[in-house]
Amino acid sequence: MPETIERDFVDGPFGQIHVRIARPATRSSRPPLILFHPVPYSGDYFHSFMRLMAHDRMVIAIDTPGYGDSAAPGELPTIQDYAKSASAALDALGIRGERGSSVDVLGYHTGSLIAIELAVQQPKLVRRLVLPGLPFYAGEEREKAYKRNAVPETINDDGSHLKSKWEFSSIAVPSGLPLARAQDHFNDSMQCYPNCWKAYHAVFSYESDKRIPLLSQPVMLITVAGSLKAETEAARPLFRNAKIIHFADIAYGGFDLHTGKLAQTTRAFLDENDPE
């Protein structure tokens, strides 16, 4: 496995975009794997997963604009904006969907919608998608979710606003997540505060019920015992070419606590029908 993960900045439509890149020790013919993190975190969310997947392919984690170290949009963003920003980052890195080149994508929670939209916008670029946890809402349910989540955040003079953020970042500690890793996630969530809610505007104004049917690429949906199981299952009929796998033994902190299982499952799907 690579000993280090490179970090770099490239230009994007809203300013600089921060990326993490892990490379295999020897040249690989496999498509690069592009990772889209959940908010309010950054590409660091995939730190261990990147190192495992980079055993046999290049892996790139892109910080969503306004999260991690990527510059934030001046206006309320959309999922389309995030996908265009990702496309610009890949262009700047010299990765394009022309002349037979392609990438695979994995998006988690908010990142799953960015992965979908990128695949819709760039069908020649995106080859396969892995979506472990899809925030699929439509119609009235999406409107209700918007009102619950797309709410400006407060800064309280006694610091009490930090408690709920710590509880959210440390939810997997009872399952075995080290406190130091929970602190990493908490630090990430503080980088976007008090504007973390803006991605939820993008998520819950995105008409995924209209965009998903436009996908033609193979998709693997993954559900766990934690969040978004029902939502991911509800989206399944809208995909033209998708299969779904459930991990009952994973609740929270999957990419930290069950990294090997998720990497093995992802690799097997991405390498289906591919030559050695």
Side-chain angles (χ1 to χ4, degrees):
M1 294 189 297
E3 294 298 323
T4 60
I5 294 176
E6 303 170 19
R7 301 175 66 174
D8 201 358
F9 287 91
V10 296
D11 290 333
F14 308 115
Q16 288 197 307
I17 304 167
H18 180 244
V19 299
R20 291 172 171 82
I21 306 173
R23 305 177 192 272
T26 59
R27 186 175 179 85
S28 172
S29 61
R30 289 177 169 84
L33 174 61
I34 315 303
L35 306 178
F36 298 106
H37 62 83
V39 298
Y41 305 123
S42 74
D44 177 68
Y45 195 85
F46 296 115
H47 180 82
S48 298
F49 183 77
M50 286 186 74
R51 297 188 66 199
L52 284 180
M53 292 303 299
H55 175 74
D56 56 3
R57 73 201 69 212
M58 180 166 64
V59 183
I60 301 171
I62 301 176
D63 284 0
T64 299
Y67 300 84
D69 290 317
S70 288
E75 304 294 333
L76 280 177
T78 65
I79 294 297
Q80 286 85 351
D81 290 333
Y82 290 154
K84 289 176 183 176
S85 177
S87 181
L90 295 177
D91 279 348
L93 293 169
I95 298 172
R96 297 177 177 86
E98 302 170 356
R99 298 181 297 278
S101 63
S102 61
V103 301
D104 295 321
V105 297
L106 181 149
Y108 185 46
H109 289 203
T110 304
S112 67
L113 299 184
I114 302 172
I116 288 169
E117 183 59 28
L118 179 65
V120 171
Q121 291 181 11
Q122 301 262 17
K124 293 182 179 179
L125 172 66
V126 177
R127 188 187 70 114
R128 290 181 175 234
L129 300 89
V130 179
L131 307 175
L134 177 60
F136 174 73
Y137 297 87
E140 185 177 336
E141 289 304 313
R142 184 166 61 231
E143 293 177 8
K144 290 179 180 178
Y146 186 99
K147 291 177 181 179
R148 288 196 306 270
N149 295 280
V151 179
E153 293 152 315
T154 62
I155 301 175
N156 302 325
D157 58 6
D158 62 355
S160 57
H161 59 289
L162 302 178
K163 187 174 187 298
S164 63
K165 296 301 178 183
W166 169 251
E167 291 173 348
F168 185 80
S169 300
S170 62
I171 193 170
V173 168
S175 299
L177 183 72
L179 280 171
R181 187 59 177 152
Q183 183 69 52
D184 289 339
H185 295 324
F186 177 79
N187 294 345
D188 257 3
S189 71
M190 287 296 98
Q191 280 194 266
C192 61
Y193 204 85
N195 296 309
C196 306
W197 69 276
K198 291 184 177 181
Y200 300 123
H201 161 79
V203 168
F204 299 112
S205 60
Y206 183 65
E207 295 182 320
S208 52
D209 53 323
K210 296 180 180 178
R211 303 301 280 174
I212 289 173
L214 301 178
L215 289 174
S216 58
Q217 300 93 327
V219 177
M220 180 170 68
L221 302 169
I222 299 176
T223 61
V224 300
S227 61
L228 296 183
K229 180 177 183 293
E231 291 81 358
T232 303
E233 290 172 342
R236 167 65 184 85
L238 296 177
F239 290 91
R240 295 191 208 175
N241 183 10
K243 63 180 180 180
I244 190 165
I245 183 170
H246 178 64
F247 291 126
D249 58 331
I250 300 178
Y252 299 102
F255 283 95
D256 288 309
L257 301 177
H258 301 274
T259 317
K261 176 176 286 190
L262 291 173
Q264 181 181 28
T265 302
T266 297
R267 178 176 285 109
F269 171 71
L270 297 181
D271 291 350
E272 281 180 2
N273 303 320
D274 283 354
E276 294 295 331

